[in-house]
Amino acid sequence: MLVHPDSGEVNILRSNPAYPYSLPGNSVWSFFPDGEGRVWIGTYGGKLALAIPGDSEVDLYFKASSGGLGHSIVSCFCEDNRGRLWIGTEGGGITVWDRNTDTFSYYTQQDGSGLASNMVKKLYLGEDGNIWASFFNSGIQVFDTSKKRWRDIS
């Protein structure tokens, strides 16, 4: 359900396999209102949807694929100061989508970036512009933008 903050209008979003502009799945794990007034919706089962409050259709979605969304279960979101969408997943680490260039980059436990776990529970943009992440059984880390590495909080 989306509620438009100005009008109070309510839109119920549901999955309908016969309709391509419906929610891609009814098992919603996360949502994130971005800086442009849109709402990103992460679903269990492989898709990330974009909805606009006041509209009953989903305008865009990504599914887990090579060169796209890094994993099929989206657990959390965050938007940085450059308008990039950071997407935490349950098993695939973090996917970063740069809307300006329409490119994806990835941080995983295996890639040498220092990411503590691929099970990302929460992403947060700090007042200093740094991205903070919490993980299942692996604590909290912050992203060092100058070194493009994750570091533990001591």
Side-chain angles (χ1 to χ4, degrees), residues 39-51:
V39 178
W40 292 92
I41 302 167
T43 64
Y44 182 92
K47 293 183 180 157
L48 169 67
L50 175 64

Side-chain angles (χ1 to χ4, degrees), residues 67-143:
L69 184 61
H71 193 269
S72 63
I73 304 172
V74 176
S75 56
C76 55
F77 303 92
C78 157
E79 184 177 27
D80 68 17
N81 295 332
R82 294 176 37 200
R84 294 178 300 179
L85 191 64
W86 294 65
I87 306 159
T89 69
E90 287 287 318
I94 298 170
T95 299
V96 182
W97 179 46
D98 188 327
R99 292 184 236 184
N100 298 319
T101 61
D102 194 26
T103 57
F104 292 87
S105 55
Y106 309 91
Y107 296 100
T108 66
Q109 192 174 8
Q110 296 79 14
D111 70 5
S113 66
L115 193 70
S117 171
N118 288 330
M119 301 288 283
V120 184
K121 294 300 181 183
K122 183 72 177 165
L123 291 168
Y124 174 76
L125 175 65
E127 291 180 11
D128 57 3
N130 289 326
I131 302 294
W132 294 73
S134 65
F135 308 91
F136 176 75
N137 279 342
S138 297
I140 298 172
Q141 290 187 304
V142 65
F143 186 68

Side-chain angles (χ1 to χ4, degrees), residues 17-57:
Y19 185 60
Y21 299 104
S22 72
L23 193 63
N26 284 327
S27 182
V28 175
W29 273 47
S30 57
F31 60 92
F32 175 75
D34 70 12
E36 297 178 23
R38 304 171 306 180
V39 178
W40 292 92
I41 302 167
T43 64
Y44 182 92
K47 293 183 180 157
L48 169 67
L50 175 64
I52 299 172
D55 192 349
S56 61
E57 294 184 341

